Coordinates of all heavy atoms in Angstrom, one line a residue:
A62 N 3.5 -40.3 -97.0 CA 2.9 -40.8 -98.1 C 1.5 -41.4 -97.7 O 0.5 -41.3 -98.4 CB 3.7 -41.9 -98.9
L63 N 1.5 -42.0 -96.5 CA 0.3 -42.6 -96.1 C -0.7 -41.6 -95.8 O -1.9 -41.7 -96.1 CB 0.6 -43.4 -94.8 CG -0.6 -44.1 -94.1 CD1 -1.3 -45.0 -95.0 CD2 -0.1 -44.8 -92.8
V64 N -0.3 -40.5 -95.1 CA -1.3 -39.4 -94.8 C -1.8 -38.8 -96.1 O -2.9 -38.5 -96.3 CB -0.6 -38.4 -93.9 CG1 -1.5 -37.0 -93.8 CG2 -0.4 -38.9 -92.5
A65 N -0.8 -38.5 -97.0 CA -1.3 -38.0 -98.4 C -2.2 -38.9 -99.2 O -3.1 -38.4 -99.8 CB 0.0 -37.6 -99.2
G66 N -2.0 -40.1 -99.0 CA -3.0 -41.0 -99.7 C -4.0 -41.6 -98.8 O -4.7 -42.5 -99.2
W67 N -4.4 -41.0 -97.7 CA -5.3 -41.5 -96.7 C -6.7 -41.7 -97.4 O -7.5 -42.5 -97.1 CB -5.4 -40.8 -95.5 CG -6.1 -41.5 -94.5 CD1 -7.3 -41.2 -93.9 CD2 -5.8 -42.6 -93.7 NE1 -7.8 -42.1 -93.0 CE2 -6.8 -43.1 -92.9 CE3 -4.5 -43.4 -93.7 CZ2 -6.7 -44.1 -92.0 CZ3 -4.5 -44.5 -92.9 CH2 -5.5 -44.8 -92.0
K68 N -7.0 -40.8 -98.3 CA -8.5 -40.8 -98.9 C -8.5 -41.8 -100.1 O -9.6 -41.8 -100.7 CB -8.8 -39.3 -99.3 CG -8.8 -38.3 -98.2 CD -10.2 -38.2 -97.7 CE -10.4 -37.1 -96.7 NZ -11.6 -37.1 -96.1
T69 N -7.5 -42.4 -100.4 CA -7.5 -43.4 -101.4 C -8.3 -44.7 -101.0 O -8.3 -44.9 -99.8 CB -6.1 -43.7 -102.0 OG1 -5.4 -44.4 -100.9 CG2 -5.4 -42.6 -102.6
P70 N -8.9 -45.4 -101.9 CA -9.4 -46.7 -101.7 C -8.5 -47.7 -101.0 O -7.2 -47.6 -101.2 CB -10.1 -47.3 -102.9 CG -9.8 -46.2 -103.8 CD -8.9 -45.2 -103.3
W71 N -8.9 -48.6 -100.0 CA -8.0 -49.5 -99.4 C -7.2 -50.4 -100.3 O -6.2 -50.8 -100.0 CB -8.8 -50.3 -98.3 CG -8.9 -49.7 -97.0 CD1 -9.9 -49.1 -96.5 CD2 -7.7 -49.5 -96.1 NE1 -9.6 -48.5 -95.3 CE2 -8.3 -48.8 -95.0 CE3 -6.4 -49.9 -96.1 CZ2 -7.5 -48.4 -94.0 CZ3 -5.6 -49.5 -95.1 CH2 -6.1 -48.7 -94.0
R72 N -7.7 -50.7 -101.5 CA -6.9 -51.5 -102.4 C -5.6 -50.8 -102.8 O -4.7 -51.5 -103.2 CB -7.8 -51.8 -103.7 CG -8.1 -50.7 -104.7 CD -8.8 -51.2 -105.9 NE -8.7 -50.1 -106.9 CZ -9.4 -49.0 -106.8 NH1 -10.3 -48.9 -105.9 NH2 -9.5 -48.2 -107.8
Y73 N -5.5 -49.5 -102.6 CA -4.3 -48.8 -102.9 C -3.6 -48.5 -101.5 O -2.4 -48.6 -101.4 CB -4.6 -47.5 -103.7 CG -3.5 -46.6 -104.0 CD1 -2.7 -46.9 -105.2 CD2 -3.0 -45.6 -103.3 CE1 -1.6 -46.2 -105.4 CE2 -1.9 -44.8 -103.6 CZ -1.2 -45.1 -104.7 OH -0.1 -44.4 -104.9
R74 N -4.5 -48.0 -100.6 CA -3.9 -47.5 -99.4 C -3.1 -48.5 -98.6 O -2.1 -48.2 -98.0 CB -5.0 -47.0 -98.4 CG -4.6 -46.1 -97.3 CD -5.7 -45.8 -96.3 NE -7.0 -45.4 -97.0 CZ -8.0 -45.2 -96.2 NH1 -8.0 -45.2 -94.9 NH2 -9.2 -45.0 -96.9
W75 N -3.3 -49.8 -98.7 CA -2.6 -50.8 -98.1 C -1.1 -50.8 -98.5 O -0.2 -51.1 -97.7 CB -3.2 -52.2 -98.1 CG -3.0 -52.9 -99.5 CD1 -3.8 -52.7 -100.6 CD2 -2.0 -53.7 -99.9 NE1 -3.4 -53.5 -101.6 CE2 -2.2 -54.0 -101.2 CE3 -0.9 -54.2 -99.3 CZ2 -1.3 -55.0 -102.0 CZ3 0.0 -55.0 -100.0 CH2 -0.3 -55.4 -101.3
L76 N -0.9 -50.4 -99.8 CA 0.5 -50.3 -100.2 C 1.2 -49.2 -99.6 O 2.5 -49.2 -99.5 CB 0.5 -50.0 -101.8 CG 0.1 -51.3 -102.7 CD1 -0.1 -50.9 -104.0 CD2 1.1 -52.4 -102.5
L77 N 0.5 -48.2 -99.0 CA 1.1 -47.1 -98.3 C 1.3 -47.5 -96.9 O 2.2 -46.8 -96.2 CB 0.3 -45.8 -98.5 CG 0.0 -45.3 -99.9 CD1 -0.9 -44.2 -99.9 CD2 1.3 -45.0 -100.7
C78 N 0.5 -48.4 -96.4 CA 0.6 -48.7 -95.1 C 2.0 -49.6 -94.8 O 2.6 -49.5 -93.7 CB -0.6 -49.5 -94.6 SG -2.0 -48.6 -94.4
I79 N 2.2 -50.5 -95.7 CA 3.3 -51.5 -95.5 C 4.6 -50.7 -95.2 O 5.4 -51.1 -94.4 CB 3.4 -52.4 -96.7 CG1 2.2 -53.4 -96.7 CG2 4.8 -53.2 -96.6 CD1 2.1 -54.3 -97.9
P80 N 5.0 -49.7 -96.1 CA 6.4 -49.1 -95.8 C 6.3 -48.3 -94.4 O 7.3 -48.5 -93.8 CB 6.5 -48.1 -97.0 CG 5.6 -48.6 -98.1 CD 4.5 -49.2 -97.4
S81 N 5.3 -47.5 -94.1 CA 5.3 -46.8 -93.0 C 5.3 -47.7 -91.7 O 6.2 -47.5 -90.8 CB 4.2 -45.8 -93.0 OG 3.0 -46.4 -93.2
I82 N 4.3 -48.7 -91.7 CA 4.3 -49.5 -90.5 C 5.4 -50.5 -90.5 O 6.0 -50.8 -89.4 CB 2.9 -50.2 -90.5 CG1 1.8 -49.2 -90.2 CG2 2.8 -51.3 -89.4 CD1 0.4 -49.7 -90.6
G83 N 5.8 -50.9 -91.6 CA 6.9 -51.9 -91.7 C 8.3 -51.2 -91.2 O 9.0 -51.9 -90.3
I84 N 8.6 -50.0 -91.5 CA 9.8 -49.4 -91.1 C 9.7 -49.1 -89.7 O 10.6 -49.3 -88.9 CB 10.1 -48.1 -92.0 CG1 10.4 -48.5 -93.4 CG2 11.3 -47.3 -91.5 CD1 11.6 -49.3 -93.7
L85 N 8.6 -48.6 -89.1 CA 8.5 -48.4 -87.8 C 8.6 -49.7 -87.0 O 9.4 -49.6 -86.0 CB 7.0 -47.9 -87.5 CG 6.7 -47.6 -85.9 CD1 7.7 -46.6 -85.4 CD2 5.2 -47.1 -85.9
T86 N 8.2 -50.8 -87.4 CA 8.3 -52.0 -86.7 C 9.8 -52.4 -86.7 O 10.3 -52.9 -85.7 CB 7.5 -53.2 -87.4 OG1 6.1 -52.7 -87.4 CG2 7.5 -54.5 -86.7
L87 N 10.5 -52.2 -87.8 CA 11.9 -52.6 -87.9 C 12.7 -51.7 -87.0 O 13.6 -52.1 -86.4 CB 12.3 -52.5 -89.3 CG 11.7 -53.6 -90.3 CD1 12.2 -53.4 -91.7 CD2 12.0 -54.9 -89.8
L88 N 12.4 -50.4 -86.9 CA 13.1 -49.5 -86.0 C 12.9 -49.9 -84.5 O 13.8 -49.8 -83.7 CB 12.8 -48.1 -86.3 CG 13.1 -47.5 -87.7 CD1 12.8 -46.1 -87.8 CD2 14.7 -47.6 -87.8
I89 N 11.7 -50.3 -84.2 CA 11.4 -50.7 -82.8 C 12.2 -52.0 -82.6 O 12.9 -52.1 -81.5 CB 9.9 -50.9 -82.6 CG1 9.2 -49.5 -82.6 CG2 9.6 -51.6 -81.3 CD1 7.7 -49.6 -82.6
L90 N 12.2 -53.0 -83.5 CA 13.1 -54.1 -83.3 C 14.5 -53.7 -83.1 O 15.2 -54.4 -82.3 CB 12.9 -55.1 -84.6 CG 13.8 -56.3 -84.7 CD1 13.4 -57.3 -83.5 CD2 13.8 -56.9 -86.0
T91 N 15.0 -52.8 -83.8 CA 16.4 -52.3 -83.8 C 16.7 -51.8 -82.4 O 17.7 -52.1 -81.8 CB 16.7 -51.2 -84.8 OG1 16.5 -51.7 -86.1 CG2 18.1 -50.6 -84.6
V92 N 15.8 -51.0 -81.8 CA 16.0 -50.4 -80.6 C 15.9 -51.5 -79.4 O 16.8 -51.5 -78.5 CB 14.9 -49.3 -80.3 CG1 15.0 -48.8 -78.8 CG2 15.3 -48.1 -81.2
V93 N 14.9 -52.3 -79.5 CA 14.7 -53.4 -78.5 C 15.6 -54.4 -78.6 O 16.1 -54.9 -77.5 CB 13.2 -53.8 -78.6 CG1 12.9 -55.0 -77.7 CG2 12.2 -52.7 -78.3
A94 N 15.9 -54.9 -79.7 CA 16.9 -56.2 -79.8 C 18.3 -55.8 -80.2 O 19.2 -56.3 -79.5 CB 16.2 -57.2 -80.9
F95 N 18.5 -55.0 -81.2 CA 19.8 -54.9 -81.7 C 20.7 -53.9 -80.9 O 21.9 -54.3 -80.6 CB 19.8 -54.4 -83.2 CG 19.4 -55.4 -84.1 CD1 18.1 -55.7 -84.5 CD2 20.3 -56.3 -84.7 CE1 17.7 -56.6 -85.4 CE2 20.1 -57.2 -85.6 CZ 18.6 -57.4 -85.9
W96 N 20.2 -52.9 -80.4 CA 21.0 -52.1 -79.6 C 21.6 -52.7 -78.3 O 22.8 -52.6 -78.1 CB 20.3 -50.6 -79.3 CG 20.0 -49.8 -80.4 CD1 20.5 -49.9 -81.7 CD2 19.5 -48.4 -80.3 NE1 20.2 -48.9 -82.5 CE2 19.6 -47.9 -81.7 CE3 19.0 -47.6 -79.4 CZ2 19.1 -46.7 -82.1 CZ3 18.5 -46.4 -79.7 CH2 18.6 -45.9 -81.0
P97 N 20.8 -53.4 -77.6 CA 21.4 -54.1 -76.5 C 22.4 -55.2 -76.9 O 23.4 -55.3 -76.3 CB 20.2 -54.8 -75.8 CG 19.0 -54.0 -76.2 CD 19.3 -53.5 -77.6
M98 N 22.1 -55.9 -78.0 CA 23.1 -56.9 -78.5 C 24.4 -56.3 -79.0 O 25.4 -56.8 -78.6 CB 22.4 -57.8 -79.6 CG 21.5 -58.7 -79.1 SD 21.0 -60.0 -80.4 CE 20.1 -59.1 -81.5
N99 N 24.3 -55.1 -79.6 CA 25.4 -54.5 -80.1 C 26.3 -54.1 -78.9 O 27.6 -54.2 -79.0 CB 25.0 -53.2 -80.9 CG 24.5 -53.4 -82.2 OD1 24.6 -54.5 -82.7 ND2 23.9 -52.3 -82.8
A100 N 25.8 -53.5 -77.9 CA 26.4 -53.1 -76.7 C 27.1 -54.3 -76.1 O 28.4 -54.3 -75.7 CB 25.6 -52.4 -75.7
A101 N 26.3 -55.4 -75.9 CA 26.9 -56.6 -75.2 C 28.1 -57.2 -75.9 O 29.1 -57.6 -75.4 CB 25.8 -57.6 -74.9
L102 N 27.8 -57.3 -77.2 CA 28.9 -58.0 -78.2 C 30.1 -57.1 -78.2 O 31.3 -57.6 -78.1 CB 28.4 -58.3 -79.5 CG 27.3 -59.3 -79.7 CD1 26.6 -59.3 -80.9 CD2 28.0 -60.7 -79.3
Y103 N 30.0 -55.8 -78.3 CA 31.1 -54.8 -78.4 C 31.9 -54.9 -77.0 O 33.1 -55.0 -77.0 CB 30.6 -53.4 -78.6 CG 31.8 -52.4 -78.6 CD1 32.8 -52.3 -79.6 CD2 31.9 -51.6 -77.5 CE1 33.8 -51.5 -79.5 CE2 33.0 -50.8 -77.4 CZ 33.9 -50.6 -78.5 OH 34.9 -49.8 -78.4
Y104 N 31.2 -54.7 -75.9 CA 31.9 -54.9 -74.6 C 32.6 -56.1 -74.5 O 33.7 -56.2 -73.9 CB 30.9 -54.6 -73.5 CG 30.3 -53.2 -73.4 CD1 29.0 -53.0 -73.1 CD2 31.0 -52.1 -73.8 CE1 28.4 -51.7 -73.0 CE2 30.5 -50.8 -73.7 CZ 29.2 -50.6 -73.3 OH 28.7 -49.5 -73.3
H105 N 32.1 -57.2 -75.0 CA 32.7 -58.5 -74.8 C 34.0 -58.6 -75.7 O 35.0 -59.0 -75.3 CB 31.7 -59.7 -75.1 CG 32.3 -61.1 -74.7 ND1 32.4 -61.4 -73.5 CD2 32.7 -62.1 -75.6 CE1 32.9 -62.7 -73.5 NE2 33.1 -63.1 -74.7
G106 N 33.8 -58.1 -76.9 CA 34.9 -58.1 -77.8 C 36.1 -57.3 -77.5 O 37.2 -57.7 -77.8
V107 N 35.8 -56.2 -76.8 CA 36.9 -55.3 -76.3 C 37.4 -55.6 -74.9 O 38.3 -55.0 -74.3 CB 36.7 -53.9 -76.5 CG1 36.4 -53.5 -78.0 CG2 35.5 -53.4 -75.7
G108 N 36.8 -56.6 -74.3 CA 37.2 -56.9 -72.9 C 36.8 -55.8 -71.9 O 37.6 -55.5 -70.9
S109 N 35.7 -55.1 -72.1 CA 35.3 -54.1 -71.3 C 34.9 -54.4 -69.9 O 34.4 -55.5 -69.7 CB 34.2 -53.2 -71.9 OG 33.6 -52.3 -71.1
P110 N 35.1 -53.6 -68.9 CA 34.6 -53.9 -67.6 C 33.0 -54.0 -67.6 O 32.5 -54.6 -66.7 CB 34.9 -52.8 -66.7 CG 36.0 -52.0 -67.5 CD 35.8 -52.3 -69.0
R111 N 32.4 -53.4 -68.7 CA 30.9 -53.5 -68.7 C 30.5 -54.8 -69.4 O 29.3 -55.0 -69.6 CB 30.5 -52.3 -69.6 CG 30.7 -51.0 -68.8 CD 30.4 -49.7 -69.6 NE 29.0 -49.6 -69.7 CZ 28.4 -48.7 -70.3 NH1 29.1 -47.7 -70.9 NH2 27.1 -48.6 -70.2
D112 N 31.5 -55.7 -69.8 CA 31.2 -57.0 -70.4 C 30.3 -57.8 -69.4 O 30.6 -57.9 -68.2 CB 32.4 -57.8 -70.7 CG 32.2 -59.1 -71.3 OD1 31.0 -59.3 -71.8 OD2 33.2 -59.9 -71.3
S113 N 29.2 -58.3 -70.0 CA 28.3 -59.2 -69.1 C 27.9 -60.4 -69.7 O 26.9 -61.1 -69.2 CB 26.9 -58.2 -69.0 OG 26.3 -58.1 -70.2
I114 N 28.6 -60.9 -70.7 CA 28.2 -62.1 -71.3 C 29.5 -63.0 -71.5 O 30.7 -62.6 -71.3 CB 27.7 -62.0 -72.8 CG1 28.7 -61.3 -73.8 CG2 26.5 -61.3 -72.7 CD1 28.1 -61.3 -75.2
T115 N 29.3 -64.4 -71.5 CA 30.4 -65.3 -71.7 C 30.8 -65.4 -73.1 O 30.0 -65.0 -74.1 CB 30.0 -66.7 -71.1 OG1 28.9 -67.2 -71.9 CG2 29.5 -66.6 -69.6
D116 N 31.9 -66.2 -73.4 CA 32.2 -66.5 -74.8 C 31.2 -67.3 -75.5 O 30.8 -67.0 -76.6 CB 33.5 -67.3 -74.8 CG 34.8 -66.5 -74.5 OD1 34.6 -65.2 -74.5 OD2 35.9 -67.1 -74.4
A117 N 30.5 -68.3 -74.7 CA 29.4 -69.1 -75.4 C 28.3 -68.2 -75.7 O 27.6 -68.4 -76.7 CB 29.1 -70.2 -74.5
Q118 N 28.0 -67.4 -74.8 CA 26.8 -66.4 -75.0 C 27.1 -65.5 -76.2 O 26.1 -65.1 -77.0 CB 26.6 -65.5 -73.8 CG 25.9 -66.5 -72.7 CD 25.7 -65.6 -71.3 OE1 26.7 -64.9 -71.0 NE2 24.6 -65.8 -70.7
S119 N 28.3 -65.1 -76.4 CA 28.7 -64.2 -77.6 C 28.5 -64.9 -78.8 O 28.0 -64.4 -79.8 CB 30.1 -63.6 -77.3 OG 31.1 -64.5 -77.6
V120 N 28.8 -66.2 -78.8 CA 28.6 -67.0 -80.1 C 27.1 -67.1 -80.4 O 26.7 -66.8 -81.6 CB 29.2 -68.4 -80.0 CG1 28.8 -69.3 -81.1 CG2 30.8 -68.3 -79.8
A121 N 26.3 -67.4 -79.5 CA 24.9 -67.4 -79.6 C 24.3 -66.2 -80.0 O 23.4 -66.1 -80.9 CB 24.2 -68.1 -78.4
M122 N 24.7 -65.1 -79.2 CA 24.2 -63.8 -79.6 C 24.5 -63.2 -81.0 O 23.7 -62.7 -81.6 CB 24.7 -62.9 -78.6 CG 23.9 -61.5 -78.5 SD 24.5 -60.3 -77.2 CE 23.8 -61.2 -75.8
A123 N 25.8 -63.5 -81.4 CA 26.2 -63.2 -82.7 C 25.3 -63.9 -83.9 O 24.9 -63.3 -84.8 CB 27.7 -63.4 -83.0
R124 N 25.1 -65.2 -83.7 CA 24.2 -65.9 -84.5 C 22.8 -65.4 -84.5 O 22.1 -65.2 -85.6 CB 24.2 -67.4 -84.2 CG 25.5 -68.1 -84.6 CD 25.2 -69.7 -84.3 NE 26.6 -70.3 -84.6 CZ 27.0 -71.2 -83.7 NH1 26.4 -71.6 -82.6 NH2 28.3 -71.7 -83.9
L125 N 22.3 -65.1 -83.4 CA 20.9 -64.5 -83.2 C 20.9 -63.1 -84.0 O 20.0 -62.8 -84.7 CB 20.5 -64.3 -81.8 CG 19.2 -63.7 -81.6 CD1 18.0 -64.5 -82.3 CD2 18.9 -63.5 -80.2
W126 N 21.9 -62.3 -83.8 CA 22.0 -61.1 -84.4 C 22.0 -61.1 -86.0 O 21.2 -60.5 -86.6 CB 23.3 -60.4 -84.0 CG 23.3 -58.9 -84.3 CD1 23.2 -57.8 -83.5 CD2 23.6 -58.3 -85.6 NE1 23.4 -56.6 -84.1 CE2 23.7 -56.8 -85.4 CE3 23.9 -58.7 -86.8 CZ2 23.8 -55.9 -86.5 CZ3 24.0 -57.8 -87.9 CH2 24.1 -56.4 -87.7
V127 N 22.7 -62.1 -86.5 CA 22.7 -62.3 -87.9 C 21.2 -62.8 -88.4 O 20.7 -62.2 -89.5 CB 23.7 -63.2 -88.4 CG1 23.6 -63.6 -89.8 CG2 25.1 -62.6 -88.2
Q128 N 20.7 -63.7 -87.7 CA 19.3 -64.2 -88.0 C 18.3 -63.1 -88.0 O 17.5 -62.9 -88.9 CB 19.0 -65.3 -87.1 CG 19.7 -66.6 -87.3 CD 19.4 -67.6 -86.2 OE1 18.9 -67.4 -85.1 NE2 19.8 -68.8 -86.4
L129 N 18.3 -62.3 -87.0 CA 17.4 -61.2 -86.8 C 17.7 -60.1 -87.9 O 16.7 -59.4 -88.3 CB 17.3 -60.6 -85.5 CG 16.7 -61.3 -84.3 CD1 17.0 -60.7 -83.0 CD2 15.3 -61.5 -84.6
D130 N 18.9 -60.0 -88.3 CA 19.2 -58.9 -89.3 C 18.6 -59.4 -90.6 O 18.2 -58.5 -91.4 CB 20.7 -58.7 -89.4 CG 21.0 -57.3 -89.9 OD1 20.3 -56.3 -89.5 OD2 22.0 -57.1 -90.5
W131 N 18.5 -60.6 -91.0 CA 17.9 -61.1 -92.1 C 16.3 -60.7 -92.1 O 15.8 -60.5 -93.1 CB 18.0 -62.6 -92.4 CG 19.4 -63.0 -93.0 CD1 20.5 -63.5 -92.5 CD2 19.8 -62.5 -94.3 NE1 21.6 -63.5 -93.3 CE2 21.1 -63.0 -94.5 CE3 19.3 -61.9 -95.3 CZ2 21.8 -62.8 -95.6 CZ3 19.9 -61.8 -96.6 CH2 21.3 -62.2 -96.7
V132 N 15.8 -60.8 -90.8 CA 14.5 -60.3 -90.7 C 14.3 -58.9 -91.1 O 13.4 -58.4 -91.9 CB 14.0 -60.6 -89.3 CG1 12.6 -60.0 -89.1 CG2 13.8 -62.0 -89.0
R133 N 15.3 -58.0 -90.7 CA 15.3 -56.6 -91.1 C 15.5 -56.4 -92.6 O 14.7 -55.6 -93.2 CB 16.4 -55.8 -90.4 CG 16.2 -55.6 -89.0 CD 17.0 -54.5 -88.3 NE 18.4 -54.8 -88.3 CZ 19.3 -54.0 -87.6 NH1 19.0 -53.1 -86.9 NH2 20.6 -54.4 -87.7
V134 N 16.3 -57.3 -93.2 CA 16.5 -57.1 -94.6 C 15.1 -57.6 -95.4 O 14.7 -56.9 -96.2 CB 17.6 -58.1 -95.2 CG1 17.6 -58.3 -96.6 CG2 19.0 -57.6 -94.7
A135 N 14.5 -58.7 -94.9 CA 13.2 -59.1 -95.5 C 12.1 -58.0 -95.4 O 11.4 -57.7 -96.3 CB 12.8 -60.4 -94.9
G136 N 12.0 -57.4 -94.1 CA 11.1 -56.3 -93.9 C 11.3 -55.1 -94.8 O 10.5 -54.5 -95.3
A137 N 12.7 -54.7 -94.8 CA 13.0 -53.6 -95.7 C 12.7 -53.8 -97.1 O 12.3 -52.9 -97.9 CB 14.5 -53.3 -95.5
T138 N 13.0 -55.1 -97.6 CA 12.6 -55.5 -99.0 C 11.1 -55.4 -99.2 O 10.7 -54.8 -100.3 CB 13.1 -56.9 -99.3 OG1 14.6 -57.0 -99.0 CG2 12.8 -57.3 -100.7
A139 N 10.3 -55.9 -98.3 CA 8.8 -55.8 -98.5 C 8.4 -54.4 -98.5 O 7.5 -54.0 -99.3 CB 8.2 -56.6 -97.3

Side-chain angles (χ1 to χ4, degrees):
L63 178 60
V64 169
W67 192 255
K68 297 262 184 192
T69 60
W71 271 106
R72 71 177 193 284
Y73 182 84
R74 195 184 322 174
W75 74 272
L76 289 170
L77 301 175
C78 289
I79 291 173
S81 51
I82 294 170
I84 295 299
L85 177 62
T86 303
L87 293 176
L88 291 179
I89 291 170
L90 174 66
T91 297
V92 171
V93 171
F95 285 91
W96 286 5
M98 284 193 293
N99 288 349
L102 290 168
Y103 174 75
Y104 292 144
H105 190 70
V107 298
S109 168
R111 297 173 76 180
D112 180 15
S113 62
I114 61 175
T115 64
D116 285 352
Q118 288 172 318
S119 76
V120 171
M122 191 177 290
R124 284 189 188 133
L125 177 62
W126 194 102
V127 170
Q128 290 169 346
L129 285 175
D130 210 31
W131 279 110
V132 170
R133 286 197 295 194
V134 167
T138 301

